[in-house]
Amino acid sequence: MSDGNQGGVKLKVVGQRPVRPDGVDKVTGRAQFGADFHLPGMLTGRIKRSPHAHARIVSIDTSAAEKLAGVKAIVTSADFDAGAAGEVEAGESHAAMKEVAANCLAHGKVLYQGHAVAAVAATQPEIAAEALDLIEIIYEVLPHVIDVEAAMAPDSPVLHDDMFTKGVTPKPGKASNVAARHVMGRGDVAAAFKAAEVTVEGRYETAAVHQGYIEPHACVASWGADGQSTIWCSSQGQFLVRAMVAKILNMPLSDIKVIPAEIGGGFGGKTTVYLEPVALALSRKCGRPVKIVMSREEVFLASGPTSGAVMDVRLAATKTGKIIGAEMTLKYQAGAFQGSPVNLGCMTAFACYDVEALALVGYDVVSNRPKVAAYRAPGAPMAAFAVESAIDDLALKLGMDPIDLRLLNAVRDGAKTVYGATVRYSALVETLEAIKASPHYRTPVGNGQARGVAAGFWFNVGGESSAAVHVDEDGGVTVVSSNPDIGGSRASMAMMAAETLGLPIERVRCTVADTTSIGYSGSTGGSRVTFATGMAVVEAAQKVVADLKRRAAQTWECDVGHVDWKDGVATCTDPSKDVKPLSMKAIAGKSAKTGGPIAAEISLNAQGAAAGYGVHVCDLEIDAETGRTTVVRYTAAQDVGRAIHPAYVEGQLQGGAAQGIGWALNEEYVYGKSGLLENPSFLDYRMPVASDLPMIDTILIETKPNPRHPYGAKGVGEVPIVPPLAAVGNAVSRIVGKRMRSLPMSPAKVLAEMSK
Amino acid sequence: MSRMVVNATVNGEPVEFLAGGGQSLLDALRDELRLTGSKEGCGTGDCGACSVIVDGRLVCACLMLAPEAEGARIETIEGLADNGHLHPLQHQCIEQAALQCGFCTPGLLMASKALLERNPDPTETEVRYWLAGNMCRCTGYDKVVRAVMDAAADLRQAEKPR
Amino acid sequence: MSGVDYLAPASVADAVSALRASAGSARLMAGGTDLLVQMRGGRAKPEVVIDLKRIPGLMGIRADAGGFIIGAATSGAALGEHEALKAAWPGVIEAVNLIGSTQVQGRASLGGNLCNASPAADSVPALIAAGAVCVIEGPNGSRELPVEQVQVGPGKTALAVDEILVAFRLPERVARSSDAYLRLIPRTEMDIAVVGVGVSLTLDASGMCLVARVSVGAVAPTCLLVEAAGAALVGSALDDAALAKMEAAVAAACRPISDKRGTAEYRTKIACVLARRAALIAKERASA
């Protein structure tokens, strides 16, 4: 793979801001999202969900519903493959298929309010709704548990009687709600605390928050009479959908074609399946296409939020501010099935800092709430909230500037993370310095306002991706990407191909392929598409360039070493030849004579993804009589390697910051005493609206491109949500005069702290 | 189930469709007229993804019953471009990367159009408060607000006598 | 929403007949911004929806005896475009235009907001403070009720099942009078009021308060007219002592619940803060 440094060659397309190729369809309403498909004979599917937080399913009687005119199929977990086994990579972790299947249609027990139990397909939405009412389910209600520490208590109701905490020796004799205990660390933490000249400690709590994509989950599934099926869905990974559906319904992969629709936001929440296996099972039963769309209430009740967390952190430092040791316990909610991102929380908590002695323990805890799904840097924001708040405490205690304290402790290349990786190509220091030198930071804090600063880290991953580059007969180019586009990646793919081929961006189109039309790929997530799929695109484009040169050499009857390719044109450098340069168009027009169609496809497993670092500054003010917070100024700086399309990179920073601000101030799942969710709507689940936010300034640090990527790109999508929780929390704490330890910092909570 | 015939004008064209008494205008636009540009994000008027303009008034189509459309003049995203020529709002949206996933975009564009018809020179604050009912989870609103204000400038420029 | 019949009568008499014919299974609709949400959520299951918007008199604003008559189904957006109404009753207008979003304001009406009878309804405290009167028509003719007597409990009004609220009457505005409405919500827009307060004042030439009405919302099963709070301001120049007395009266009247939108203690505290701030804004407007 080529070196990403480009040797100082000036780039013509990468780094510019061309109009994105799918923009017109999206601003005219032509773009088709999962709920926008209509097929002949299509039925409406609806799902019957548990009204209880925890119950045994005693019986399900669908007979009355089956008799209703217009009902064509009804399914329960009995229609899934009971032997569904194994794991599939999902989001940024692995999903046990049995649990994915049980989450899609409950088996034996319902584990949260909203847990799907049965589904119907009918000719009209009204008939499907009526049919749901006619399905009789008898439950034996069981005691429930919602909060993470309550779920860890020895007398807690237990969700799974086969859950024995992994990572504990000897294996516990009793089943519990603690799915796993993760331990990581290094050095001698006890000695560090003994030697410490100053310590800070604190307990921090965050609530469950939802990814909040505006588009509810939606799919259309169509079973062919010979078993060959098609699924249109809004998903971050068409191959993942295919794999999961195939396992759950016991079908060969090649019998399922998954066509990724445009996706209305995912942020990790659409890297699993909820509806697709159900819709296809319904379609299989009646032979007609079935569309299922979640209502917003269903999205909140039954699709994964991210974990709420309880964290205890202690820092040991010298009086000059060097952090010499840290200890942290993290307890994360997994929801009804195991798999919170607590291990990622442990890995990322201190990843910005070079701390010699570290001891982290993480608990993955189930309780009667929806199973969590990945949410943008899963596991990192909560842990960063705790650590960055503790560091702010340290800065206050030592009277140090919060940036200077972080500069003193920041990782530099060569340092080792707690999970054993070596820090490379890191521009965290430059990012901190950029914030320090920024207009925002150099402006004195306004009267009655306060400023908070925080840093954040995300690994970014590589992984399996595929891409194809086809040259059309008129010299234009089509790039085929394996990855759904959730943030503008089609533009970046086209740009990287255009740069490699030496073409103007207008001549390059990018499309996202279905599972039959391109090689396998991992999902869109992990901030990996620009890196890994981009790498595949560039390699394919380079292959095409090599092919074009060969064809030019053949046409000129010269050695291929005498062919130069630049700006989309081949020139002959053989002094003995007197030939005119050949354009892409010219070569493409004659491709049949030089070997046939010009195309290349690459499938790879991209290595060498580089981590990203972010530093945010937040200025805010608080109405002292009501506790209401207003963010007045916000700047997000990030180490991005190289911004392929700067406007879309800025958009990632701004969007992630906005989500983090919502997480800090107002978003949370509110449960009542019966374990029922009290706010499953956008009315009472309060995400930031346009009038809640100021402009969000961005600073893109490109001083350390990733040499493992052809254009130096690092992943950028996830880092931006990691710093804001503490950036906001640190500012609020400074106004309130006390450390804010619990999110969200809603007005009543803030007023209560101010009044104490 | 009682269905009734509804006659309305949609994007300047007369249309006739069947609607249930309790069917929302949004469902009628999407399922009867196959105009799927207006989206359902919540169905309860909290997100604005279904924003349309009815008789000159910005509304959520999910909060209107389809039979109410009888005799009404309805504008949806599909009618914003003029015979294939993008409206300045659409143009600026793409130019400024004011959309990422694009799901909120149709509603946002219709809401912005309604704003600029009333207030051709809005301040940033006026744009933000007018668009408070259009939720976006991807952009953080920054580029959206800039695009709307630049489109407003474009429209004011176009109005200037030469 | 299966099998719902939609009717759009052209007269109040037709609407009343339709109500009577449906024997309690009908719902009246103005802007639909509450009704459709309830129908979708299964909390309302009418067999008939009676759309009031094609009845002349239910829509629009007209001057009347120095004051105004407002058609009960008129949208907040239309109200906000009426310059004379805005000048006389800025508090009422700002209250109705805080409901929901721009899109919701394009449909939501004073009549719907009042008859939905949420204790947190935004326009109701402002209407109560303004001394608005409801014009109600039914099979037995027409009657009037002060706004503060219409809500009788959450989701319940004093209207009979076959009565229709057709209009609001706002009295003539004497000189040096104005009103204001404030609410507390966690975000800047889009939330249901945690607390809402409406204040309407009339001052004399020296700035002394002659008439004051204070109404609070979301702190009791219905929006309250707090007579003692208004009384505390009368005869004062809204100095700190008078405001403190007013706040004490507001606090004494509050009997809020704790729910997902706020605790009882927080609501009571904020009600006092907003009452003071709204009173001062109304004073400033009245003096202008």
Side-chain angles (χ1 to χ4, degrees):
Chain A
M1 188 61 254
S2 71
D3 161 29
N5 280 331
Q6 295 299 314
V9 167
K10 187 158 165 37
L11 298 174
K12 296 210 162 81
V13 181
V14 165
Q16 304 304 314
R17 297 171 184 245
V19 160
R20 74 190 258 176
D22 59 316
V24 172
D25 277 356
K26 290 193 168 161
V27 298
T28 55
R30 281 207 309 207
Q32 296 213 284
F33 294 80
D36 296 338
F37 294 97
H38 287 90
L39 293 177
M42 191 174 75
L43 305 171
T44 301
R46 288 284 309 274
I47 297 182
K48 189 165 179 82
R49 300 180 178 281
S50 167
H52 305 295
H54 194 193
R56 200 170 62 80
I57 301 170
V58 175
S59 63
I60 304 176
D61 184 354
T62 61
S63 52
E66 282 165 35
K67 295 199 190 75
L68 187 64
V71 171
K72 299 300 178 190
I74 301 183
V75 295
T76 65
S77 68
D79 293 283
F80 283 170
D81 179 7
E87 287 197 338
V88 171
E89 195 186 308
E92 287 157 68
S93 60
H94 286 87
M97 285 318 304
K98 252 195 149 104
E99 292 176 347
V100 174
N103 198 37
C104 292
L105 282 173
H107 187 69
K109 270 175 112 178
V110 289
L111 294 164
Y112 54 96
Q113 179 206 14
H115 195 167
V117 184
V120 306
T123 52
Q124 301 287 339
E126 298 82 0
I127 298 177
E130 208 183 319
L132 288 190
D133 284 339
L134 292 174
I135 298 177
E136 300 221 4
I137 306 182
I138 300 183
Y139 294 102
E140 178 201 334
V141 178
L142 301 168
H144 65 275
V145 62
I146 297 292
D147 292 324
V148 69
E149 287 193 306
M152 293 174 80
D155 57 348
S156 165
V158 170
L159 273 69
H160 304 280
D161 54 23
D162 60 351
M163 182 169 282
F164 299 93
T165 311
K166 294 197 275 258
V168 171
T169 4
K171 176 175 152 172
K174 229 177 75 160
S176 73
N177 293 319
V178 183
R181 180 173 176 263
H182 301 270
V183 176
M184 54 187 87
R186 63 174 178 223
D188 188 341
V189 164
F193 275 90
K194 224 170 170 185
E197 292 166 321
V198 66
T199 62
V200 295
E201 65 181 287
R203 159 165 282 220
Y204 294 89
E205 296 186 27
T206 65
V209 294
H210 196 272
Q211 298 81 349
Y213 31 82
I214 308 298
E215 180 209 23
H217 301 259
C219 73
V220 177
S222 182
W223 178 272
D226 59 355
Q228 294 193 60
S229 304
T230 309
I231 298 176
W232 295 258
C233 59
S234 291
S235 171
Q236 291 174 242
Q238 66 278 47
F239 289 94
L240 179 117
V241 171
R242 183 180 73 168
M244 288 186 160
V245 172
K247 283 221 149 84
I248 293 174
L249 297 184
N250 196 15
M251 296 167 65
L253 291 169
S254 49
D255 271 1
I256 306 176
K257 174 169 161 175
V258 180
I259 302 175
E262 296 294 346
I263 170 172
F267 314 110
K270 291 179 179 166
T271 59
T272 183
V273 293
Y274 300 105
L275 304 177
E276 294 80 356
V278 180
L280 192 57
L282 285 166
S283 183
R284 179 168 65 177
K285 249 189 174 170
C286 65
R288 288 170 65 165
V290 175
K291 176 194 274 190
I292 310 185
V293 181
M294 279 197 190
S295 67
R296 178 55 50 184
E297 188 183 49
E298 288 180 291
V299 172
F300 278 115
L301 287 177
S303 76
T306 191
S307 313
V310 177
M311 297 159 289
D312 293 286
V313 62
R314 297 173 68 210
L315 302 179
T318 68
K319 59 176 184 280
T320 56
K322 181 89 188 89
I323 303 171
I324 56 176
E327 203 171 40
M328 189 165 176
T329 307
L330 301 83
K331 299 164 184 160
Y332 281 25
Q333 299 160 354
F337 298 93
Q338 65 184 319
S340 79
V342 69
N343 56 329
L344 300 174
C346 291
M347 291 162 80
T348 58
F350 292 97
C352 288
Y353 306 110
D354 198 355
V355 178
E356 207 181 296
L358 286 171
L360 297 116
V361 180
Y363 294 94
D364 182 31
V365 183
V366 299
S367 63
N368 295 113
R369 346 175 28 135
K371 159 122 187 57
V372 300
Y375 178 16
R376 207 166 195 163
M382 319 68 143
F385 171 61
V387 171
E388 294 292 316
S389 298
I391 290 180
D392 198 56
D393 267 348
L394 187 59
L396 284 166
K397 223 172 188 177
L398 295 173
M400 274 183 84
D401 171 271
I403 300 283
D404 288 339
L405 176 58
R406 287 173 172 83
L407 278 166
L408 180 61
N409 289 285
V411 287
R412 289 152 170 85
D413 285 358
K416 271 203 135 54
T417 67
V418 74
Y419 54 92
T422 306
V423 175
R424 284 192 301 190
Y425 326 122
S426 153
L428 171 58
V429 169
E430 291 94 311
T431 307
L432 284 162
E433 285 169 346
I435 282 287
K436 196 168 178 191
S438 69
H440 183 168
Y441 204 72
R442 295 178 65 175
T443 308
V445 180
N447 234 340
Q449 297 176 359
R451 176 166 297 165
V453 168
F457 163 93
W458 188 249
F459 321 83
N460 306 320
V461 303
E464 297 176 293
S465 279
S466 298
V469 173
H470 305 154
V471 179
D472 306 321
E473 311 92 274
D474 66 355
V477 169
T478 302
V479 174
V480 183
S481 165
S482 57
N483 282 83
D485 181 353
I486 59 175
S489 55
R490 265 167 295 193
S492 311
M493 300 302 124
M495 290 167 73
M496 287 186 275
E499 187 74 58
T500 308
L501 294 163
L503 294 178
I505 185 64
E506 297 77 17
R507 292 295 276 154
V508 182
R509 297 296 182 218
C510 181
T511 180
V512 176
D514 66 63
T515 52
T516 65
S517 308
I518 192 69
Y520 178 85
S521 177
S523 297
T524 293
S527 308
R528 71 175 213 92
V529 171
T530 306
F531 177 74
T533 310
M535 200 184 278
V537 168
V538 171
E539 271 197 40
Q542 287 171 336
K543 245 181 132 172
V544 166
V545 169
D547 190 1
L548 292 163
K549 285 164 109 173
R550 178 193 64 71
R551 292 164 191 258
Q554 182 180 333
T555 304
W556 294 327
E557 292 174 346
C558 71
D559 183 75
V560 74
H562 281 135
V563 179
D564 253 3
W565 182 266
K566 190 170 147 72
D567 293 339
V569 174
T571 37
C572 185
T573 57
D574 184 338
S576 70
K577 300 281 177 183
D578 177 26
V579 286
K580 288 204 170 53
L582 284 169
S583 69
M584 175 80 116
K585 189 172 175 177
I587 300 176
K590 293 202 176 79
S591 62
K593 293 208 172 96
T594 55
I598 308 173
E601 177 163 337
I602 294 286
S603 288
L604 48 67
N605 190 346
Q607 306 299 311
Y613 301 84
V615 182
H616 292 195
V617 191
C618 175
D619 288 2
L620 49 80
E621 58 194 20
I622 299 181
D623 181 334
E625 288 185 304
T626 65
R628 205 166 148 278
T629 302
T630 303
V631 175
V632 299
R633 191 167 180 182
Y634 201 95
T635 303
Q638 189 167 322
D639 166 16
V640 303
R642 165 149 17 235
I644 304 296
H645 192 310
Y648 284 100
V649 174
E650 292 161 358
Q652 292 299 308
L653 271 61
Q654 292 165 336
Q659 286 178 315
I661 292 169
W663 195 332
L665 289 177
N666 276 314
E667 294 179 38
E668 61 177 327
Y669 273 48
V670 179
Y671 279 90
K673 287 202 189 60
S674 325
L676 304 185
L677 185 59
E678 294 195 338
N679 61 336
S681 77
F682 278 149
L683 179 62
D684 288 305
Y685 180 83
R686 303 192 186 95
M687 302 187 342
V689 296
S691 43
D692 289 334
L693 298 171
M695 293 297 184
I696 300 173
D697 292 326
T698 59
I699 303 173
L700 305 183
I701 304 296
E702 297 180 86
T703 54
K704 291 269 198 56
N706 177 8
R708 302 290 294 274
H709 180 273
Y711 293 108
K714 296 178 179 173
V716 300
E718 289 171 285
V719 169
I721 201 175
V722 183
L725 280 60
V728 176
N730 290 343
V732 173
S733 298
R734 278 157 193 262
I735 292 190
V736 170
K738 290 190 195 69
R739 177 56 50 193
M740 297 302 290
R741 300 184 178 286
S742 165
L743 299 184
M745 294 173 288
S746 52
K749 239 181 191 164
V750 172
L751 189 65
E753 286 298 317
M754 289 173 91
S755 316
K756 277 195 195 146
Chain B
M1 215 169 328
S2 52
R3 308 254 285 167
M4 41 206 298
V5 176
V6 178
N7 283 278
T9 306
V10 176
N11 299 324
E13 298 289 325
V15 299
E16 187 178 85
F17 59 92
L18 279 177
Q23 186 178 21
S24 72
L25 175 63
L26 177 63
D27 285 345
L29 287 171
R30 289 176 55 81
D31 297 333
E32 313 301 332
L33 294 173
R34 300 288 160 96
L35 294 171
T36 56
S38 307
K39 308 297 183 197
E40 177 172 314
C42 71
T44 53
D46 297 308
C47 76
C50 65
S51 301
V52 295
I53 299 175
V54 178
D55 290 332
R57 191 66 82 189
L58 179 69
V59 297
C60 281
C62 74
L63 291 184
M64 206 170 136
L65 292 177
E68 293 187 67
E70 177 66 33
R73 198 180 79 245
I74 300 172
E75 298 165 70
T76 73
I77 185 65
E78 288 89 348
L80 186 58
D82 177 19
N83 272 331
H85 296 291
L86 294 182
H87 187 280
L89 280 166
Q90 292 168 308
H91 174 74
Q92 285 294 352
C93 215
I94 313 178
E95 276 294 312
Q96 302 213 30
L99 68 116
Q100 290 180 30
C101 81
F103 193 76
C104 76
T105 304
L108 213 137
L109 286 170
M110 296 312 289
S112 301
K113 174 174 192 260
L115 168 65
L116 298 185
E117 280 168 354
R118 268 162 187 68
N119 182 353
D121 195 0
T123 63
E124 178 191 333
T125 303
E126 286 171 329
V127 172
R128 288 183 179 278
Y129 274 84
W130 182 273
L131 294 180
N134 289 87
M135 277 193 167
C136 174
R137 195 58 159 168
C138 293
T139 66
Y141 305 104
D142 182 298
K143 293 181 189 299
V144 170
V145 173
R146 293 180 200 275
V148 172
M149 294 182 67
D150 284 355
D154 289 344
L155 285 165
R156 290 195 304 273
Q157 189 66 33
E159 284 298 307
K160 280 209 186 107
R162 284 170 221 280
Chain C
M1 305 203 283
S2 70
V4 177
D5 280 330
Y6 169 87
L7 300 177
S11 70
V12 174
D14 286 347
V16 170
S17 303
L19 272 178
R20 289 168 74 80
S22 68
S25 67
R27 287 290 298 265
L28 297 170
M29 179 176 82
T33 54
D34 284 317
L35 177 64
L36 267 66
V37 175
Q38 290 162 9
M39 284 168 71
R40 195 193 160 95
R43 295 187 301 288
K45 295 182 189 179
E47 288 172 13
V48 182
V49 169
I50 302 171
D51 184 353
L52 296 171
K53 298 192 294 297
R54 308 237 181 212
I55 303 172
L58 265 288
M59 305 287 280
I61 305 130
R62 61 180 207 275
D64 176 80
F68 296 94
I69 298 222
I70 301 173
T74 312
S75 74
L79 296 173
E81 287 161 1
H82 195 280
E83 291 303 326
L85 190 58
K86 254 201 310 196
W89 302 99
V92 172
I93 298 306
E94 69 196 341
V96 73
N97 281 312
L98 280 173
I99 301 173
S101 59
T102 310
Q103 290 86 339
V104 168
Q105 291 145 30
R107 300 260 297 169
S109 66
L110 293 173
N113 198 223
L114 177 62
C115 293
N116 186 51
S118 160
D122 275 314
S123 68
V124 180
L127 285 170
I128 291 176
V133 170
C134 294
V135 179
I136 298 161
E137 297 203 17
N140 303 323
S142 186
R143 65 183 178 114
E144 294 194 349
L145 263 188
V147 171
E148 60 267 26
Q149 292 181 24
V150 173
Q151 288 179 331
V152 300
K156 291 185 168 59
T157 70
L159 273 65
V161 73
D162 53 7
E163 285 185 307
I164 299 175
L165 166 56
V166 299
F168 293 84
R169 227 172 3 86
L170 283 173
E172 184 176 359
R173 212 50 167 141
V174 305
R176 288 183 295 275
S177 302
S178 197
D179 61 349
Y181 175 78
L182 289 176
R183 69 175 183 181
L184 180 98
I185 53 171
R187 293 180 291 184
T188 51
E189 290 281 316
M190 300 307 290
D191 291 325
I192 297 291
V194 177
V195 181
V197 179
V199 176
S200 179
L201 304 172
T202 302
L203 309 173
D204 74 9
S206 72
M208 193 192 72
C209 180
L210 294 173
V211 177
R213 284 171 68 93
V214 177
S215 174
V216 285
V219 291
T222 64
C223 296
L224 304 175
L225 171 66
V226 187
E227 284 168 1
L233 297 179
V234 170
S236 82
L238 270 69
D239 55 286
D240 286 345
L243 289 171
K245 256 184 86 187
M246 178 201 64
E247 287 185 50
V250 165
C254 287
R255 35 187 212 278
I257 57 168
S258 293
D259 68 5
K260 63 188 176 231
R261 297 181 185 131
T263 62
E265 302 88 314
Y266 183 70
R267 285 181 150 121
T268 302
K269 230 182 196 170
I270 300 307
C272 300
V273 171
L274 294 186
R276 174 172 25 91
R277 292 180 181 180
L280 290 172
I281 294 171
K283 174 187 172 190
E284 199 185 308
R285 287 174 177 168
S287 316

